[in-house]
Amino acid sequence: MTFAPAPPDLLAAVDALMRAAFTPYVRALGREIAPGSYDWFADAIVKGDIFVAHDGLDLVGAITTKRGDRDLSLEQIGVAPARQKQGIASWMIGQIE
């Protein structure tokens, strides 16, 4: 697998991955992901605050972050539904550290 900052041309794919990853959990709460929930991704991807994991050509995970003066906080960690429970999220966190 590879892990790198997401290029701007992956914005739509990152949005789709996060929606696919989180929709089941949000629906279990009786809600839907609001249409503008991920609008901040456009700015974050330009700043280099979104990282993606690929397995070959497949986008399998993404981490969204926010930079502070001295730290980097993890905002969201999403893994493609077909690849969940395989350690990808933990692996991505290790790559960030």
Side-chain angles (χ1 to χ4, degrees), residues 3 49-51 63 65 72 74 91-97:
F3 188 75
D49 289 342
I50 296 181
F51 299 85
I63 293 182
T65 65
L72 182 72
L74 304 181
W91 179 81
M92 290 191 300
I93 292 169
Q95 299 301 304
I96 288 280
E97 294 178 331

Side-chain angles (χ1 to χ4, degrees), residues 1-4 51-58 60-61 91-92 95:
M1 276 198 295
T2 60
F3 188 75
F51 299 85
V52 292
H54 283 93
D55 188 359
L57 296 176
D58 296 331
V60 296
W91 179 81
M92 290 191 300
Q95 299 301 304

Side-chain angles (χ1 to χ4, degrees), residues 15-27 31-38 76:
D15 183 284
L17 182 140
M18 290 299 201
R19 287 181 187 280
F22 286 102
T23 293
Y25 303 104
V26 174
R27 284 188 178 156
R31 299 181 178 169
E32 293 292 327
I33 297 173
S37 293
Y38 299 137
Q76 289 184 316

